[in-house]
């Protein structure tokens, strides 16, 4: 197998796949695992790193959060690498950002072991996981984000080739205000715990990074967000569509390409539950990934 390219067309028929758990990160006396969703076949397959949510603090949310989605992606012929990382009340910004940075570099360095292409590595993140993906897509070489060493691979390799973010915390400060408005006190508390000292909520804020023009580059992005239902009911009490609209505007203004998709009536965490919302999200993801693969094939990556 060569690592020169990945399939530009994802499988129309389901591909068989298998799962394996691998230790990938040792930090702070802890060992963290990745679950590899491995399609059968020679490949090289595209790869995507899956970063779960959990309000940065909830250590009961683990790498199996998106299992339904990941199984469907693997059946399309995508190597999915779902990771765990430091996520507890003892860990603050930017600890988990650095873990995700390491994970993306680790996937590139080990891609051929999974019949994947190191030159076609995307990242998926939901909620707070989307925040971690955004920061590494914008500032992968920040010395704090790239703090965990890995020999033989460049810091810039932590930047995904494309990103898919579902109901991401694209602006933690605006999201905190929204949580206060809707009475979601738990989110306010989690935010204050993670961003300690408090001013770090501005340093680790993707929207502010765009406005300050300090992003290195901006990979193509697909943003999936629930919006009010036809009768006006808002089911996502975690982050608002307006926050995402403003982020999309800032992304475009900064020179990036972002496809914003609002799913009427979809709640927070809709990719975790079988049904119409997950099906629509997967169809959008498949089309978006296929577009990125065709682009990389054209430019010779």
């Amino acid at each position: 197998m060569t690592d020169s390219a990945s399939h530009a067309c994802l499988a129309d028929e389901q591909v068989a796949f298998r799962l394996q758990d691998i230790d990938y990160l040792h930090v702070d006396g802890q060992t963290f695992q990745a679950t590899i969703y491995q399609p059968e076949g020679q490949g090289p397959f595209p790869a995507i790193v899956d970063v779960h949510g959990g309000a940065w603090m909830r250590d009961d949310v683990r790498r199996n959060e998106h299992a339904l989605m990941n199984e469907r992606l693997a059946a399309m012929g995508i190597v999915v690498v779902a990771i765990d990382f430091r996520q507890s009340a003892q860990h603050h910004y930017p600890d988990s950002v650095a873990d995700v940075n390491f994970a993306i570099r680790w996937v590139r360095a080990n891609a051929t072991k999974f019949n994947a292409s190191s030159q076609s590595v995307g990242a998926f993140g939901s909620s707070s996981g989307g925040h971690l993906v955004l920061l590494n897509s914008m500032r992968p070489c920040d010395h704090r984000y790239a703090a965990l060493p890995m020999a033989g691979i460049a810091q810039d390799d932590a930047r995904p080739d494309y990103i898919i973010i579902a109901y991401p915390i694209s602006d933690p400060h605006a999201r905190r205000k929204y949580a206060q408005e809707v009475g979601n006190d738990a989110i306010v508390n989690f935010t204050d715990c993670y961003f300690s000292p408090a001013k770090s909520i501005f340093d680790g804020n993707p929207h502010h990074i765009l406005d300050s023009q300090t992003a290195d580059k901006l990979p193509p992005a697909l943003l999936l967000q629930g919006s009010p239902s036809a009768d006006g009911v808002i089911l996502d009490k975690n982050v608002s569509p307006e926050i995402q609209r403003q982020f999309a505007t800032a992304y475009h203004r900064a020179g990036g390409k972002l496809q914003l998709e609002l799913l009427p009536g979809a709640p927070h965490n809709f990719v975790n539950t079988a049904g119409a919302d997950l099906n629509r999200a997967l169809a959008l993801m498949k089309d978006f990934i296929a577009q990125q693969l065709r682009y990389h094939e054209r430019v010779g990556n």
Side-chain angles (χ1 to χ4, degrees):
M1 187 197 81
T2 65
D3 189 32
S4 59
S6 55
H7 295 308
C9 295
L10 301 179
D12 291 323
E13 298 183 0
Q14 288 197 352
V15 175
F17 63 90
R18 62 184 184 276
L19 274 63
Q20 61 175 318
D21 293 330
I22 295 179
D23 294 345
Y24 86 97
L25 172 63
H26 305 277
V27 62
D28 286 350
Q30 296 176 276
T31 297
F32 294 95
Q33 288 193 320
T35 296
I36 314 297
Y37 294 73
Q38 176 69 61
E40 293 186 1
Q42 291 186 343
F45 299 107
I48 189 165
V49 180
D50 167 38
V51 185
H52 64 75
W56 301 290
M57 294 281 102
R58 290 182 52 194
D59 54 11
D60 61 318
V61 181
R62 305 295 300 277
R63 65 186 184 278
N64 62 353
E65 182 188 32
H66 303 141
L68 284 174
M69 181 193 75
N70 290 339
E71 290 171 0
R72 297 275 294 276
L73 291 173
M76 296 177 192
I78 300 172
V79 175
V80 183
V81 182
I83 61 167
D84 278 330
F85 45 88
R86 287 175 288 180
Q87 181 163 283
S88 71
Q90 286 70 49
H91 297 292
H92 311 283
Y93 169 83
D95 290 348
S96 51
V97 188
D99 296 347
V100 173
N101 184 293
F102 181 91
I104 298 170
R105 285 182 282 136
W106 182 87
V107 170
R108 288 201 195 273
N110 293 277
T112 57
K113 298 178 182 178
F114 313 122
N115 293 347
S117 170
S118 64
Q119 298 176 13
S120 180
V121 177
F124 173 89
S126 72
S127 197
S128 58
H131 168 258
L132 305 180
V133 166
L134 281 168
L135 289 180
N136 279 302
S137 70
M138 294 178 177
R139 299 193 305 205
C141 298
D142 184 297
H143 71 278
R144 299 162 301 172
Y145 300 175
L148 302 176
M150 182 182 298
I153 190 163
Q155 289 181 343
D156 192 58
D157 284 333
R159 188 194 320 278
D161 295 302
Y162 61 86
I163 60 174
I164 301 173
I165 41 179
Y167 33 90
I169 312 308
S170 56
D171 185 336
H173 184 251
R175 188 280 198 106
R176 185 185 186 280
K177 291 175 61 177
Y178 177 73
Q180 287 180 309
E181 291 169 1
V182 300
N184 195 336
D185 295 336
I187 290 300
V188 175
N189 293 333
F190 285 134
T191 302
D192 291 345
C193 183
Y194 182 68
F195 290 103
S196 178
K199 64 181 180 180
S200 65
I201 198 170
F202 298 103
D203 176 74
N205 190 318
H207 195 148
H208 287 198
I209 292 171
L210 294 176
D211 287 345
S212 64
Q213 299 182 336
T214 57
D216 297 335
K217 297 178 185 176
L218 295 174
L222 171 63
L223 196 162
L224 307 170
Q225 171 66 42
S227 63
S229 61
D231 55 2
V233 176
I234 300 174
L235 295 180
D236 192 338
K237 303 293 186 182
N238 200 301
V239 60
S240 72
E242 185 56 31
I243 290 174
Q244 312 296 20
R245 289 191 188 97
Q246 293 181 12
F247 179 77
T249 298
Y251 206 89
H252 293 145
R253 188 168 53 237
K257 295 181 179 180
L258 185 147
Q259 177 182 342
L260 173 61
E261 295 286 348
L262 300 177
L263 281 63
H268 205 70
N269 291 329
F270 61 78
V271 302
N272 300 343
T273 305
D277 293 327
L278 174 59
N279 292 342
R280 184 181 174 195
L282 283 163
L284 290 165
M285 293 168 66
K286 183 177 182 180
D287 288 346
F288 177 77
I289 294 171
Q291 290 174 18
Q292 307 315 311
L293 299 181
R294 288 194 294 268
Y295 170 78
H296 283 285
E297 187 176 70
R298 288 198 304 272
V299 299
N301 288 339

